[in-house]
Amino acid sequence: MVRRVVITGLGLVSPLGNGVEISWKRLLEGKSGAGPITAFDTTDYACTVACEVPSVDGRGGGGPDIEGSFDPSLVLSNKERRKVDDFILYAIAAADEALKDANWHPETEEDQERTGTMIGSGIGGLGIIASTALELHEKGPKRISPFFIPSSLINLASGQVSIRHGLKGPNHSVVTACATGAHAIGDAARLIIYGDADVMVAGGAESAIVPVGIAGFIACRALCTSFNDAPEKASRPYDKDRDGFVMGEGAGIVVLEEYEHAKARGAKIYAEILGYGLTGDAYHITAPSETGDGGYRAMVMAAKNGNIDPTTIDYVNSHGTSTMADGIELKAIEKFLGARAATGTVSSTKSAIGHLLGGAGAVEAIFCALAIRDQIAPPTINLDNPDVDTPIDLVPNKAKPMKIKTVLSNSFGFGGTNAALIMGAVEG
Amino acid sequence: MSEVLERVRKIVIDHLDADPDKVTEKASFIDDLEADSLDIVELVMAFEEEFDIEIPDDSAEHILTVGDAVSYIDGKLKS
């Protein structure tokens, strides 16, 4: 019998706040997580907006008395904090929340060996890599911190979480740019299906709101540059005034669990991972193929291996980055949904949280799980004047209560990498 | 308390997030102050910077306690 995989825990550090419930509440209220960049001086940068995680130190509009602000000292001691880049810090915080939510704290040798980690990142410790390079230049090789390498390596998010919680199963990681989070969840589900683990802590994390990250994405003409005076309006998928994505940061982590394992211990089940598809464009390093063929084939593959009729998909959380590629993806979704397109529902939550790059797919899978739980589709905010011609409801500006049983989440990355995840409600 | 000891203690407390009461001359970095081998590499770098000295790896290997660090640094500063 084929093993089934369900989601039993959620954890989130997002630009809308620290934690799943506050982020979800603000998302449904149509709030934006964007603001002027506070992490560094943006003089001379063409883009000065981002979706930063609100923190107690004032970063991203947070503060000690502001609800939902992220407090690193509750996650790691000062000593440990110096040994990790922020993407790892966010991953640890989100994994703590997800494991607590799942009520899964493996203590026996067997439980520990049957629980693994699969947390990825698009870029990893970019900020620390950049600052260490400057130090090398200024002070020479003897002054490089012994923690430089382990603080910036992408798979150290998985490594740190595995050490912290005693998880001795597969300790793996994914790096597929903006598709990382979705690939991590899909691949982790496969490890459970194949029998290598019963539980996997999976997802993605990113912290690229640093000078070289923003400058780099500006240079490849990917970031929004015309809303520096109105940051909350900057991320506007499908809108005619969109002109690039808004960088986000944070982490999304889920606990994936073999269905019988979850049932036996009476775990709360959010949704089942029903299908997973992954393809390559073989077209361009940063642009999607003009026909959206790669994304379309990923969706078809996910439906096929989950034995799902595309016309039964109630809600799609699109990749929708607020770039010209939005329209290409939408056409591919229409083609995939077939007869259902006329009554389809698609939204881009990047409108509110920006683009978390390697974290995006995991954060959006979490929103999909919550959409199933609460029977509501989150909105595409800032969608004032759609410039896409489609019968699909893009859920402009206001969340849409509706019947949601089956959902699709798309994630596409630089290098022409595509991932599609189909999730569904579990009866009873 | 010597000036060197005070400065060494401050670095150790900062870097290891250690309880100041535990940072005595006899305290072992690994056994008493929960440091690992990489923490010690970082500590030695901090001593080098603070006292503007060089501590070669083969000497660093013998710096296991707060007191070891103080006497090594004292020796270096006097030479």
Side-chain angles (χ1 to χ4, degrees):
Chain A
M1 205 177 101
V2 176
R3 284 156 64 91
R4 296 166 62 186
V5 179
V6 293
I7 300 174
T8 56
L10 308 177
L12 204 50
V13 176
S14 91
L16 288 173
N18 177 36
V20 169
E21 296 305 333
I22 188 138
S23 297
W24 178 238
K25 178 172 164 275
R26 287 174 175 167
L27 182 72
L28 294 181
E29 287 168 355
K31 299 252 164 68
S32 164
I37 291 173
T38 59
F40 60 92
D41 176 7
T42 54
T43 308
D44 294 338
Y45 286 74
C47 166
T48 64
V49 303
C51 292
E52 295 176 313
V53 169
S55 300
V56 290
D57 65 1
R59 183 188 174 98
D65 302 319
I66 297 175
E67 193 195 1
S69 295
F70 179 70
D71 184 352
S73 72
L74 300 179
V75 184
L76 291 177
S77 68
N78 284 337
K79 175 188 162 197
E80 296 304 317
R81 172 127 191 243
R82 284 204 313 275
K83 301 177 185 176
V84 299
D85 186 88
D86 281 351
F87 81 98
I88 297 176
L89 176 70
Y90 296 147
I92 292 172
D96 282 359
E97 185 186 18
L99 283 161
K100 189 175 173 208
D101 184 40
N103 192 24
W104 182 243
H105 307 286
E107 277 167 10
T108 67
E109 196 68 18
E110 193 198 344
D111 284 348
Q112 291 182 336
E113 288 177 3
R114 299 295 297 165
T115 306
T117 48
M118 177 84 83
I119 303 168
S121 176
I123 319 189
L126 192 58
I128 287 185
I129 293 170
S131 61
T132 306
L134 289 176
E135 246 174 80
L136 176 72
H137 181 71
E138 285 162 15
K139 299 178 179 169
K142 287 185 180 167
R143 309 265 28 116
I144 300 305
S145 164
F147 298 110
F148 161 53
I149 299 293
S151 67
S152 56
L153 289 184
I154 285 178
N155 73 298
L156 261 282
S158 275
Q160 289 277 5
V161 167
S162 109
I163 293 164
R164 188 173 172 93
H165 296 281
L167 314 180
K168 299 180 181 174
N171 181 332
H172 207 342
S173 187
V174 171
V175 181
T176 49
C178 307
T180 297
H183 277 134
I185 291 173
D187 288 354
R190 295 242 165 121
L191 291 182
I192 294 174
I193 292 168
Y194 197 75
D196 296 320
D198 293 324
V199 182
M200 289 293 295
V201 179
E206 203 72 69
S207 57
I209 305 177
V210 295
V212 70
I214 296 292
F217 279 101
I218 288 171
C220 55
R221 303 293 183 269
L223 289 182
C224 168
T225 55
S226 32
F227 285 87
N228 290 333
D229 297 329
E232 69 285 356
K233 298 279 174 203
S235 186
R236 41 195 317 114
Y238 311 113
D239 188 85
K240 78 172 175 47
D241 293 326
R242 72 189 188 278
D243 78 328
F245 79 79
V246 175
M247 183 96 83
E249 63 173 353
I253 305 281
V254 298
V255 174
L256 299 176
E257 191 165 347
E258 193 273 321
Y259 176 61
E260 295 298 336
H261 188 278
K263 224 170 59 172
R265 68 181 188 92
K268 161 180 65 185
I269 294 173
Y270 287 96
E272 179 171 2
I273 306 291
L274 296 172
Y276 171 44
L278 54 169
T279 64
D281 286 348
Y283 176 74
H284 188 265
I285 50 173
T286 60
S289 73
E290 281 157 33
T291 60
D293 160 70
Y296 172 73
R297 285 183 294 108
M299 294 182 246
V300 169
M301 189 189 289
K304 197 176 165 204
N305 73 35
N307 198 19
I308 290 148
D309 174 357
T311 65
T312 64
I313 289 176
D314 302 304
Y315 167 66
V316 180
N317 188 299
S318 67
H319 187 59
T321 54
S322 188
T323 62
M324 287 310 133
D326 295 355
I328 296 174
E329 180 194 8
L330 199 59
K331 287 294 155 206
I333 293 172
E334 275 180 26
K335 187 175 162 193
F336 171 68
L337 292 178
R340 185 65 189 274
T343 56
T345 301
V346 175
S347 71
S348 168
T349 46
K350 288 189 180 77
S351 58
I353 59 166
H355 191 352
L356 272 74
L357 311 181
V363 171
E364 287 153 25
I366 289 171
F367 291 153
C368 285
L370 294 168
I372 291 171
R373 181 190 73 178
D374 294 347
Q375 298 288 291
I376 188 165
T380 305
I381 67 167
N382 297 321
L383 181 48
D384 301 326
N385 298 294
D387 85 334
V388 285
D389 178 24
T390 182
I392 287 174
D393 181 355
L394 298 170
V395 201
N397 300 314
K398 212 165 171 293
K400 176 185 173 186
M402 58 180 279
K403 189 170 161 296
I404 301 179
K405 200 175 161 214
T406 312
V407 303
L408 163 73
S409 181
N410 281 339
S411 297
F412 311 140
F414 279 6
T417 176
N418 311 294
L421 282 172
I422 298 177
M423 288 159 273
V426 175
E427 306 298 338
Chain B
M1 206 180 278
S2 79
E3 189 217 324
V4 171
L5 173 60
E6 250 332 278
R7 285 160 72 188
V8 165
R9 283 189 71 236
K10 187 172 181 307
I11 289 170
V12 172
I13 292 165
D14 271 7
H15 279 259
L16 300 182
D17 241 359
D19 174 356
D21 291 342
K22 287 190 178 165
V23 186
T24 61
E25 282 200 72
K26 281 187 191 152
S28 151
F29 298 125
I30 289 177
D31 297 334
D32 302 317
L33 303 174
E34 293 170 31
D36 63 21
S37 57
L38 293 182
D39 288 321
I40 295 179
V41 174
E42 197 187 42
L43 270 182
V44 167
M45 284 172 57
F47 298 149
E48 289 179 323
E49 191 140 328
E50 170 74 16
F51 296 98
D52 198 18
I53 55 174
E54 245 190 75
I55 307 178
D57 281 354
D58 50 356
S59 303
E61 276 171 28
H62 302 291
I63 300 179
L64 305 175
T65 66
V66 174
D68 292 344
V70 172
S71 43
Y72 182 84
I73 293 163
D74 268 337
K76 270 273 181 178
L77 294 177
K78 278 173 194 150
S79 66

